Amino acid sequence: MFRSFFPEPKLFFSSAVIWMVLATVIFFVAGGPIRSLVGLDRFLAPAICAPAPATADSTAPSNEAPATQSAANPNAPAATDGSAPVATPANCVAEDTNFLNGAKLWEYQFVLMVAIAFCVFWYFYKRNEWYWWSVVSSTAILLVLYFNVQVDAWINDWSGTFFNMVQQALSQPRSVEPATFYGQVFILFAVLMPNILVLVLLNFYTSHYVFRWRKAMNSYYMAYWPSIRTTEGAAQRVQEDTMRFADTVEDLGTSFFSSLITLVVFLPLLWGFSQHITELPILGAVPGSLVWVALVAAALGTAMLALVGIKLPGLNFANQRVEAAYRKELVYGEDNADRAEPVTARQLFANVQKNYFRLYFHYTYFNLARYAYLNLVGYVPLLAMSPSILAGTLTLGLYQQISTAFSQVSSSFQFFARAWTTIVNLLSVYQRLHQFEGFIPSDQEPIKESLSGAPAQ
C-alpha cells in the first residue's frame, strides 16, 4: 500500500514528522538571525518604525539651547522640549497590518525553504520512480493547505474589524461612511477569490495524485499476480480496494494535516481571546478557558464515538468478504452454466443480507451518539461565553473572532470524532489489502514502472 508509492515509507513518514518539529523549533529559536541573513521581506515590505524616544523630563534646565533640525532628516520638525531631535526614517510604517506584511512574508519564505530542503534530500536519497508524485506532490498539497489556513486566520482578524464597524453602524446611524464599509468588503473579496481558484485547482490536482497512487499499487500487485491471483477476492482488491485506499488515505491525510496546521495557527489566537472571557459557568475564572473547553469537549466526544463504534471496522471488513464471495460467484456464472445456481446465489446473498442487517443495527446507535454530539457541541462556545456576554464585556467583532477561532480549534480537536465513519471504512480496506499483501513474496522487489506506463528497463 505504501512501499509501492513512497520511498522507504517508515523512514519517509518519520523523517517528515521529525523535520517539521525541528523546523518549528529552529523558526522560534533562531528565526531572527536567519531572517536577517536570507529574509526577502526587507526588500518587499516596509520596515516598522522604531518607537519614538521618551520626551525630556519637565525639570530639565530652562536655559538649555533649543535643538535644531536633524541633519539626517532636514524636513523633520525641530524639538522644542529640550530633547534630542528624532530622525524619521523615510520608508517605514508605524504598524504593518497588510495581509502580506513583513513578518508573514518571512514565515512563508521559511516554510517554503523547509519544504524544498525536504524534497531535495529525498531526491538524492532513495528516490523512486514515483518521486515527483509521492514526495514533491505530497509536499505541495500540504503547503497549499498551510496557506489556506493562513487565509482563514486573516479572515478571522478581518471579521473583528468588520463586525465592530457593523455594530457601530447599527448603534450610531450614519457614523460609518459607505466607502469605508464597501472598502472592507472589497478587501475580503480580493483575498477570497484567488483562494477559491487555488482550492479548485488543488481538488483537480489531488484527483490526479490519488490516481497515481492507485496506479503504483496496481503495478505493484500485478507484478505478483501469478502468486496472488487465487487469493479470495484478488480481482476486487487490485481493481477496487486500491482505488478506495488511495482516495480515503489522501482525504484523511490532508484533513488531518489541515487540522494540525489549524491548531498551530488558531490555538495561540484562542488562548489570547480567552483573556476577554471573564469567567466560565460554574467553574469561574480559568486561564486559557476557551482552549480547555474545546479540548475537553473534543476529547469526550472522541472517546465516546470510539467506544460506541468499536465493532464497526470488523463488520465492514466482514461485509467486504461476503460481497466479494457473492460477486465472484456471479462472475463465474457469466461463463459457466454450472455456477451461480439459484440455491448457491440465494445462500451467498443471504450472507450479504445478514451482515448488512448487523451493520444497520450497530450504525443506528453509533449515528445516534455521533449526531447528538456534533449538534450539541456547536453550542458549547455560546455557553462558555455566556457570563461575558451577559456582562457586556464583548463587542460584536470580538464575539465573531472568538466564535470563529473556537470553531476552528474545536473542529481540529474533533478530527477523529468527525472522521470516525471514514476511518472505519479505511480500516476495513486496510485489513483486506494487508491480508492480501501477506501472499506476496517478501524477498522480491516490486515492479518499477515509468510514468509513461511502460515497464522500466
Side-chain angles (χ1 to χ4, degrees):
M1 290 169 280
F2 293 99
R3 61 179 174 174
S4 61
F5 191 56
F6 295 95
E8 299 289 336
K10 292 183 179 180
L11 180 60
F12 175 80
F13 290 111
S14 60
S15 67
V17 173
I18 294 173
W19 183 235
M20 284 191 291
V21 173
L22 181 61
T24 303
V25 173
I26 292 175
F27 180 81
F28 287 105
V29 173
I34 298 176
R35 178 182 182 181
S36 63
L37 293 175
V38 300
L40 299 178
D41 57 287
R42 61 183 182 272
F43 304 112
L44 302 174
I48 305 298
C49 297
T55 58
D57 189 83
S58 58
T59 60
S62 59
N63 58 354
E64 186 174 341
T68 60
Q69 288 182 314
S70 169
N73 188 358
N75 296 321
T80 59
D81 59 356
S83 62
V86 179
T88 304
N91 185 27
C92 74
V93 292
E95 182 182 4
D96 193 353
T97 58
N98 294 322
F99 177 55
L100 292 176
N101 57 44
K104 285 297 182 183
L105 287 174
W106 161 241
E107 181 180 337
Y108 301 153
Q109 178 190 344
F110 183 83
V111 171
L112 285 174
M113 291 192 303
V114 168
I116 292 172
F118 181 78
C119 293
V120 169
F121 171 81
W122 282 100
Y123 180 84
F124 292 102
Y125 180 77
K126 300 289 186 179
R127 182 173 81 250
N128 64 1
E129 67 272 25
W130 296 102
Y131 165 81
W132 293 102
W133 286 101
S134 62
V135 179
V136 177
S137 293
S138 297
T139 305
I141 290 172
L142 294 181
L143 285 176
V144 175
L145 293 176
Y146 167 78
F147 291 120
N148 185 61
V149 172
Q150 291 291 343
V151 171
D152 291 338
W154 177 85
I155 293 175
N156 185 63
D157 184 62
W158 172 90
S159 66
T161 302
F162 182 77
F163 284 101
N164 280 338
M165 181 175 60
V166 170
Q167 183 180 26
Q168 178 184 347
L170 293 174
S171 59
Q172 304 175 23
R174 303 188 183 280
S175 63
V176 177
E177 293 293 331
T180 304
F181 182 89
Y182 291 116
Q184 288 293 325
V185 175
F186 175 78
I187 292 174
L188 178 65
F189 282 6
V191 174
L192 282 183
M193 295 308 295
N195 189 55
I196 292 172
L197 179 61
V198 169
L199 293 177
V200 172
L201 294 176
L202 176 64
N203 186 64
F204 172 81
Y205 192 78
T206 52
S207 298
H208 279 270
Y209 175 88
V210 169
F211 189 86
R212 294 317 195 281
W213 192 351
R214 177 190 176 186
K215 182 178 180 181
M217 284 191 288
N218 183 81
S219 299
Y220 182 83
Y221 291 146
M222 291 308 296
Y224 304 107
W225 185 250
S227 302
I228 60 178
R229 66 181 184 85
T230 57
T231 307
E232 177 269 327
Q236 180 193 2
R237 301 188 192 196
V238 174
Q239 184 270 329
E240 180 182 346
D241 287 350
T242 55
M243 175 185 63
R244 294 177 59 198
F245 180 80
D247 188 32
T248 308
V249 170
E250 186 277 332
D251 182 44
L252 276 177
T254 53
S255 299
F256 178 70
F257 277 100
S258 179
S259 297
L260 287 181
I261 296 170
T262 300
L263 281 178
V264 172
V265 173
F266 278 92
L267 204 58
L269 295 179
L270 188 61
W271 187 277
F273 288 142
S274 295
Q275 67 182 346
H276 299 286
I277 304 303
T278 54
E279 59 179 310
L280 294 177
I282 301 176
L283 298 178
V286 178
S289 55
L290 295 176
V291 174
W292 296 113
V293 169
L295 178 60
V296 171
L300 292 176
T302 302
M304 177 186 66
L305 294 181
L307 180 62
V308 299
I310 194 170
K311 292 186 177 181
L312 296 180
L315 291 174
N316 274 274
F317 175 68
N319 193 62
Q320 290 295 323
R321 296 188 64 176
V322 295
E323 285 278 18
Y326 181 57
R327 179 169 46 247
K328 181 177 181 180
E329 187 67 22
L330 293 178
V331 171
Y332 280 144
E334 292 178 356
D335 301 320
N336 192 335
D338 297 332
R339 302 298 297 267
E341 296 179 350
V343 176
T344 304
R346 190 160 45 245
Q347 180 60 45
L348 290 173
F349 191 79
N351 295 336
V352 174
Q353 174 181 296
K354 178 181 178 181
N355 198 77
Y356 267 107
F357 286 2
R358 293 177 63 194
L359 271 174
Y360 296 156
F361 171 73
H362 289 286
Y363 263 110
T364 298
Y365 64 79
F366 172 79
N367 286 332
L368 175 62
R370 182 163 67 103
Y371 292 140
Y373 170 71
L374 294 179
N375 279 276
L376 294 177
V377 76
Y379 295 97
V380 169
L382 181 62
L383 294 176
M385 289 187 287
S386 57
S388 299
I389 294 175
L390 296 176
T393 60
L394 300 180
T395 63
L396 180 60
L398 185 58
Y399 173 81
Q400 290 291 337
Q401 285 183 292
I402 294 176
S403 297
T404 302
F406 187 94
S407 176
Q408 293 282 0
V409 172
S410 180
S411 296
S412 298
F413 280 144
Q414 297 165 7
F415 170 78
F416 290 104
R418 294 179 178 273
W420 188 251
T421 302
T422 307
I423 294 173
V424 166
N425 293 328
L426 175 63
L427 289 176
S428 66
V429 177
Y430 174 81
Q431 289 176 2
R432 286 175 55 77
L433 289 177
H434 183 69
Q435 184 185 68
F436 187 54
E437 290 180 356
F439 295 92
I440 296 178
S442 59
D443 58 344
Q444 296 184 25
E445 289 294 327
I447 189 174
K448 294 185 178 181
E449 184 178 347
S450 64
L451 295 181
S452 64
Q457 303 295 327

